[in-house]
Amino acid sequence: MSAWSYQSQLLSREKHLVSIALTTPSFFSFSGVLLLILIWPTVAIAFSNAARAEPPASDAQIDFERDVKPIFAKYCTECHGALNQTSDLRLDLRHTILLGGTSGAIVSPGRSSESRLIDVVSGTDPEYSMPPEGDSVPAEAIDILRRWIDQGATGPDDKSLAEKPIPWSFHPVVRPNTPSGTQSIDLLLEQSLAKNNLAFSPEETKPQFIRRLYLVALGVPPSIDEVQQFVRDSDPLAVESLVDRVLADPRYGERMARHWFDVVRFAESHGFETNRVRYNSWPYRDYIIQAFNQDLPYDQFVYDQIAGDTSGSDFATGFLVAGTYDLVKSPDINLTLMQRQDELTDLVNTIGTSFLGLTIGCARCHDHKFDPISQKDFYALQALVAGVQFADRSIAKPLGPSQQTELAQWKEQYSDISKKITELLEIGRNRNITKQLRPAVSHDRNEELFDPILTNAVRFRILASGNSEPCIDEWEVFNEQGKNVALASHGSVAKVSSTL
């Protein structure tokens, strides 16, 4: 086969040029070299087209899926795609491209010269040039975008792809049509039961009713006298009267509060490895019980627990810090910051589950896959509670005249006691000066020697410590005979000012 016969094949199958050139002996002849020189510009163009999509001819119809969408995918959708929409602009769908973003429309179909999209990708806009980083959009791609807009910015109707389905829980409540004079809930239950060939259970007896009511509303069974009294009551409104009495019972608030405490992860200790007791958790507990017993309106119930410090319901804000709390922390600043984020995430999650009925924790790392909650929404909510800290604080409460008098008496006694303590401390300091005490305490053993003294108590005072609270593992006091008089078996009692 001659070199010129090869030429006809190469012109029709240019992509195989290299393999043919390397494996065909005729290319090493003069005519073969001449052929390669003659057709190389054509071949170079073919390889260039294989590496990138050549813009369609100026009179060809631009296809959105084939020609336009790949340009946005390569240069734009990292910031303006399905996951991120900077400036509320999304460029992976034709519908959202035509909608534009916060600054308005970016495409004017039929008029590319008036389209902001062309200005920013071509660099002619004095304020913005897109993309802000990385490779600029090449001229060939900009030409495709121009012609697509001039041709009317046509493409598929992908509006449905831009709309997230609304979860059933966000649909408006619609009251079903029921015959007048009937209880809709009973009718709906009856219809559902009928579909499964079922019916309501027989009406319960009075003893059964009062027992169930007490167990559900109060958490305890009724007494025998209460059952007998209800059974003997022939008043047509006996049931209503019984329910009113149960709802007025203080135990009702205690029963309902237990369910709420489960929802808001309330505990009377901090959790984690130390699990210290929360001695001041009871005000929030009592607030919740009182709220149920007083039938506090739900909107006020919610407001108090999130922002009660602005409405005089400081106790209610115990909701914010009712969860677990890591007292130990860490010397590693990065770990400490992560622990802080975990605290705030727990608080945001609890607000979502308790008041919104939503699990919003997924949005900590990404937009929620099911509910319409974005990562931006999650951290906006976190910003509202970012100032909350786990600590005890004084609660301002107005005092009556008798309480003010009592407080003044306590302050006077405290002043007298403080003076005596100051005097005793000064005596102790003077004695320490005359003693040659050890300047530091060993981490494993400390021994103090002094002349025998007749006393009924021995005090060991720690004047300073390092980075942690001092700890005493064993305490011994020996007399002249070598007897450990500090042992409890000898009648000694140990007391400390504070303990961890």
Side-chain angles (χ1 to χ4, degrees):
M1 183 178 292
S2 66
W4 295 109
S5 63
Y6 271 111
Q7 182 182 12
S8 61
Q9 289 191 21
L10 289 172
L11 292 175
S12 61
R13 300 176 62 192
E14 293 169 344
K15 64 181 179 179
H16 298 299
L17 172 65
V18 175
S19 61
I20 294 174
L22 293 178
T23 57
T24 306
S26 61
F27 268 93
F28 292 96
S29 65
F30 175 78
S31 59
V33 174
L34 178 62
L35 170 64
L36 183 60
I37 294 173
L38 291 174
I39 68 172
W40 179 251
T42 303
V43 175
I45 294 174
F47 274 112
S48 177
N49 290 344
R52 59 170 175 78
E54 182 69 17
S58 59
D59 57 348
Q61 183 68 27
I62 302 296
D63 183 86
F64 176 80
E65 294 288 340
R66 182 194 64 211
D67 304 320
V68 177
K69 195 170 183 177
I71 297 175
F72 289 128
K74 183 174 182 180
Y75 298 100
C76 309
T77 54
E78 182 176 351
C79 299
H80 303 285
L83 297 179
N84 298 309
Q85 289 105 40
T86 303
S87 300
D88 294 330
L89 179 61
R90 181 174 177 179
L91 299 178
D92 62 323
L93 299 174
R94 173 179 171 270
H95 171 72
T96 54
I97 293 173
L98 297 180
L99 285 178
T102 54
S103 61
I106 62 170
V107 169
S108 299
R111 302 186 302 276
S112 63
S113 60
E114 301 176 12
S115 298
R116 180 169 171 76
L117 173 65
I118 300 301
D119 292 339
V120 297
V121 298
S122 62
T124 58
D125 188 296
E127 298 181 0
Y128 296 98
S129 179
M130 296 294 167
E133 298 178 355
D135 297 334
S136 300
V137 181
E140 297 89 339
I142 296 175
D143 185 57
I144 292 176
L145 295 178
R146 289 182 189 275
R147 281 181 281 152
W148 174 65
I149 296 174
D150 288 335
Q151 293 173 6
T154 59
D157 182 7
D158 49 15
K159 180 179 180 180
S160 60
L161 300 178
E163 298 175 351
K164 292 183 178 180
I166 301 177
W168 67 268
S169 58
F170 288 89
H171 286 242
V173 177
V174 179
R175 183 176 294 277
N177 295 323
T178 56
S180 60
T182 61
Q183 295 293 332
S184 58
I185 185 65
D186 291 342
L187 181 61
L188 292 175
L189 292 174
E190 187 176 12
Q191 292 173 348
S192 298
L193 291 172
K195 292 179 183 179
N196 296 280
N197 297 320
L198 298 172
F200 287 120
S201 301
E203 187 174 347
E204 57 194 354
T205 64
K206 277 193 168 184
Q208 289 175 330
F209 177 81
I210 187 174
R211 176 177 173 82
R212 292 177 182 176
L213 177 62
Y214 268 63
L215 290 176
V216 170
L218 304 181
V220 295
S223 67
I224 296 177
D225 292 340
E226 289 171 326
V227 175
Q228 292 176 349
Q229 179 184 353
F230 178 61
V231 171
R232 291 193 301 265
D233 192 346
S234 58
D235 189 333
L237 299 178
V239 172
E240 286 81 354
S241 299
L242 175 64
V243 172
D244 288 340
R245 289 198 302 272
V246 168
L247 293 179
D249 193 309
R251 292 175 294 181
Y252 171 75
E254 297 172 1
R255 173 66 168 171
M256 294 299 105
R258 292 183 62 185
H259 298 306
W260 184 249
F261 291 149
D262 289 340
V263 172
V264 302
R265 84 292 189 225
F266 172 77
E268 296 187 356
S269 63
H270 288 298
F272 286 99
E273 65 265 33
T274 56
N275 200 28
R276 296 276 296 277
V277 175
R278 288 175 173 162
Y279 294 103
N280 294 326
S281 61
W282 61 267
Y284 174 69
R285 177 198 64 199
D286 290 356
Y287 164 83
I288 297 298
I289 295 173
Q290 186 178 19
F292 278 104
N293 282 332
Q294 293 180 348
D295 197 18
L296 186 70
Y298 183 70
D299 58 344
Q300 189 65 43
F301 184 72
V302 173
Y303 186 93
D304 286 350
Q305 294 182 73
I306 296 179
D309 54 328
T310 66
S311 63
S313 299
D314 296 68
F315 293 159
T317 58
F319 158 84
L320 299 172
V321 292
T324 54
Y325 174 59
D326 189 353
L327 288 168
V328 179
K329 298 300 182 185
S330 170
D332 184 348
I333 182 61
N334 293 317
L335 182 56
T336 300
L337 291 173
M338 184 178 70
Q339 290 170 326
R340 177 57 179 165
Q341 282 299 311
D342 290 341
E343 292 172 5
L344 295 176
T345 297
D346 169 76
L347 179 50
V348 172
N349 289 349
T350 305
I351 292 175
T353 54
S354 58
F355 297 126
L356 303 178
L358 294 172
T359 53
I360 63 179
C362 303
R364 178 185 185 181
C365 301
H366 52 74
D367 290 351
H368 207 294
K369 300 300 182 182
F370 304 103
D371 296 321
I373 303 169
S374 67
Q375 190 178 30
K376 181 179 179 180
D377 294 333
F378 180 91
Y379 285 100
L381 179 58
Q382 186 190 95
L384 296 177
V385 296
V388 175
Q389 298 290 340
F390 287 74
D392 294 331
R393 66 184 178 92
S394 300
I395 301 295
K397 186 177 181 181
L399 300 177
S402 61
Q403 293 173 319
Q404 291 178 356
T405 301
E406 184 179 0
L407 179 60
Q409 294 174 350
W410 280 110
K411 286 183 177 180
E412 185 177 353
Q413 294 182 25
Y414 173 78
S415 177
D416 294 339
I417 294 175
S418 296
K419 292 178 181 178
K420 294 180 180 179
I421 292 176
T422 302
E423 294 173 358
L424 292 174
L425 290 176
E426 186 62 26
I427 294 174
R429 291 191 190 95
N430 294 332
R431 288 184 177 178
N432 290 340
I433 294 174
T434 61
K435 301 286 185 178
Q436 293 183 351
L437 302 181
R438 296 181 53 165
V441 178
S442 172
H443 70 281
D444 58 350
R445 181 180 179 87
N446 178 53
E447 184 176 321
E448 299 289 351
L449 300 176
F450 50 88
D451 295 333
I453 185 174
L454 182 62
T455 181
N456 58 3
V458 176
R459 170 182 290 178
F460 182 79
R461 234 168 114 239
I462 300 174
L463 302 178
S465 64
N467 295 327
S468 60
E469 187 169 344
C471 178
I472 297 178
D473 296 315
E474 187 175 358
W475 172 259
E476 297 175 334
V477 180
F478 293 94
N479 61 12
E480 289 184 289
Q481 290 75 34
K483 177 182 178 181
N484 183 9
V485 297
L487 290 175
S489 58
H490 296 161
S492 294
V493 178
K495 297 180 180 180
V496 292
S497 59
S498 65
T499 61
L500 176 64

